[in-house]
Amino acid sequence: MGYDHVLNYIAGSLRDILGRIPDEIKQAVLEIRIRQARPLVLVTNSGMVFVSAAGQPTNEPQRGYRVTTEECRMTLQVMTRASVYMVEDKLLQGFLTLPGGHRVGVSGTGYVEQGTLQALRDVGQFNIRIAREMPGVAAPILPTLLDCDGWFQSTLIISPPGCGKTTLIRDIARQLSWGKPGYWPRHMVAIVDERSEIAAVWQGEPQTDSGPCTDVLDGYPKTAGIMVAMRALAPHVLVTDELGTEVDARAVVEAGAAGIAVLASIHGDSWENVQKRTGGQILAASGLFRYLVILSRRRGPGTLEKVQ
């Protein structure tokens, strides 16, 4: 379920255009960018390319096919099965999840009342991120993150956007949940998946292999989800993505204080820079994380810079 599968969830005219690109480019596509009145863009392993009306890649924006207002409207209708009102809460958070775990960033014109975003109108931008599970991607580093008895130790993954942190988190959670006899036991894992990105739940069912001993709290705000996991699920490992606020940081610190190992990520290019933010300062002061994993795009997405 990759590039061709995603095309089923966009306007038919765009589907025809994007379906014509060469197979070797299809295999390298990371994101499809659809923007009203602007050219179609594919983000690939080697950079951005525009797509002409004939479905041919080009480096010249002026030759790219310009997306119409109607195509954006139809794409939203297809993605939501003509029930936009059913996903209004997710639209306000800026994303949708498609079958297969593909994630769509959405934006448009916001309606604000008393300083709060109440509705999203005229949705005209879609960033479709192709979901690709990479089983085993965590194998080189996972043994480093375990104690002498094979139990996972709290780990923070530090990464700029688009560097593979969610892919890595997903595979660590999967491998811990399955266990590996002689190396590490099966772990009870709880994934607090606020933005439906780790387990990619669609209609209540994870679209990725989260492991047999994993509970997924899909769509829960991080703090609420962490509290539910602590009180009701008794996990060995709590997994969550993209710690962004002081509240997020305090919630995972509380989980760690309860004896739960935490696997989380945070945007940044170094631990030093992360600590310049309030949330990072809280994490540093807590001493929660035994290991820090630094990722970059230096040699492509998922480049492991170091484990410290």
Side-chain angles (χ1 to χ4, degrees), residues 89-97 103 166 190-201 215-226 238-245 247-249 251-252 265:
D89 58 332
K90 293 188 180 296
L91 290 176
L92 288 175
Q93 295 180 63
F95 74 95
L96 294 170
T97 301
R103 183 180 174 81
T166 303
I191 298 176
V192 179
D193 205 0
E194 184 174 15
R195 297 172 66 84
S196 304
E197 192 167 11
I198 302 172
V201 170
D215 297 298
V216 180
L217 293 88
D218 179 60
Y220 281 66
K222 281 190 181 65
T223 301
I226 289 169
L238 175 79
V239 179
T240 192
D241 206 1
E242 297 185 10
L243 302 177
T245 68
V247 174
D248 292 347
V252 295
S265 70

Side-chain angles (χ1 to χ4, degrees), residues 123-155:
V123 174
Q125 286 109 204
F126 304 84
N127 174 21
I128 306 171
R129 299 176 64 178
I130 310 297
R132 289 187 175 91
E133 283 192 84
M134 299 181 66
V137 69
I141 67 167
L142 182 52
T144 304
L145 310 179
L146 309 175
D147 68 13
C148 60
D149 295 316
W151 292 100
F152 182 77
Q153 303 297 289
S154 291
T155 299

Side-chain angles (χ1 to χ4, degrees), residues 172-225:
I172 292 174
R174 179 189 68 82
Q175 293 201 50
L176 291 174
S177 183
W178 279 102
K180 187 174 182 180
Y183 293 89
W184 59 84
R186 290 192 180 99
H187 290 59
M188 298 296 291
V189 177
I191 298 176
V192 179
D193 205 0
E194 184 174 15
R195 297 172 66 84
S196 304
E197 192 167 11
I198 302 172
V201 170
W202 189 75
Q203 293 191 345
E205 182 177 343
Q207 301 293 290
T208 64
D209 179 5
S210 301
C213 301
T214 299
D215 297 298
V216 180
L217 293 88
D218 179 60
Y220 281 66
K222 281 190 181 65
T223 301

Side-chain angles (χ1 to χ4, degrees), residues 9-306:
Y9 299 95
I10 64 176
S13 52
L14 297 179
R15 186 185 314 143
D16 292 341
I17 292 170
L18 291 167
R20 298 190 196 115
I21 70 166
D23 287 343
E24 62 271 18
I25 294 182
K26 288 182 182 180
Q27 295 170 8
V29 172
L30 303 174
E31 300 174 358
I32 301 171
R33 299 280 186 137
I34 298 171
R35 300 180 176 102
Q36 182 176 318
R38 281 158 289 176
L40 274 174
V41 178
L42 301 178
V43 179
T44 73
N45 291 322
S46 55
M48 290 187 293
V49 295
F50 300 94
V51 182
S52 73
Q56 294 302 306
T58 173
N59 290 322
E60 300 175 21
Q62 61 271 26
R63 293 183 58 194
Y65 175 78
R66 292 189 173 272
V67 179
T68 68
T69 301
E70 178 63 13
E71 286 167 333
C72 286
R73 188 188 70 80
M74 284 303 301
T75 293
L76 184 62
Q77 288 292 307
V78 174
M79 287 181 173
T80 62
R81 296 189 171 188
S83 299
V84 177
Y85 70 95
M86 293 290 290
V87 295
E88 283 181 338
D89 58 332
K90 293 188 180 296
L91 290 176
L92 288 175
Q93 295 180 63
F95 74 95
L96 294 170
T97 301
L98 302 179
H102 310 289
R103 183 180 174 81
V104 185
V106 295
S107 58
T109 301
Y111 171 71
V112 178
E113 190 173 282
Q114 296 183 341
T116 302
L117 183 64
Q118 299 291 334
L120 188 64
R121 300 170 175 168
D122 302 323
V123 174
Q125 286 109 204
F126 304 84
N127 174 21
I128 306 171
R129 299 176 64 178
I130 310 297
R132 289 187 175 91
E133 283 192 84
M134 299 181 66
V137 69
I141 67 167
L142 182 52
T144 304
L145 310 179
L146 309 175
D147 68 13
C148 60
D149 295 316
W151 292 100
F152 182 77
Q153 303 297 289
S154 291
T155 299
L156 181 66
I157 298 173
I158 300 171
S159 164
C163 291
K165 63 184 181 306
T166 303
T167 300
L168 182 60
I169 282 177
R170 182 185 298 125
D171 194 55
I172 292 174
R174 179 189 68 82
Q175 293 201 50
L176 291 174
S177 183
W178 279 102
K180 187 174 182 180
Y183 293 89
W184 59 84
R186 290 192 180 99
H187 290 59
M188 298 296 291
V189 177
I191 298 176
V192 179
D193 205 0
E194 184 174 15
R195 297 172 66 84
S196 304
E197 192 167 11
I198 302 172
V201 170
W202 189 75
Q203 293 191 345
E205 182 177 343
Q207 301 293 290
T208 64
D209 179 5
S210 301
C213 301
T214 299
D215 297 298
V216 180
L217 293 88
D218 179 60
Y220 281 66
K222 281 190 181 65
T223 301
I226 289 169
M227 293 304 107
V228 170
M230 290 172 58
R231 294 167 183 163
L233 301 177
H236 297 122
V237 181
L238 175 79
V239 179
T240 192
D241 206 1
E242 297 185 10
L243 302 177
T245 68
E246 179 180 339
V247 174
D248 292 347
R250 294 192 186 281
V252 295
V253 168
E254 186 168 347
I260 301 170
V262 174
L263 172 62
S265 70
I266 193 167
H267 283 144
D269 57 6
S270 69
W271 180 227
E272 291 72 25
N273 284 337
V274 165
Q275 292 180 75
K276 294 177 181 178
R277 307 197 298 270
T278 303
Q281 292 168 10
I282 292 169
L283 296 176
S286 72
L288 168 62
F289 292 106
R290 174 67 178 82
Y291 295 105
L292 305 173
V293 176
I294 317 297
L295 301 180
S296 76
R297 295 180 64 97
R298 188 164 54 87
R299 295 189 301 274
T303 299
L304 177 62
E305 293 293 344
K306 61 181 175 179

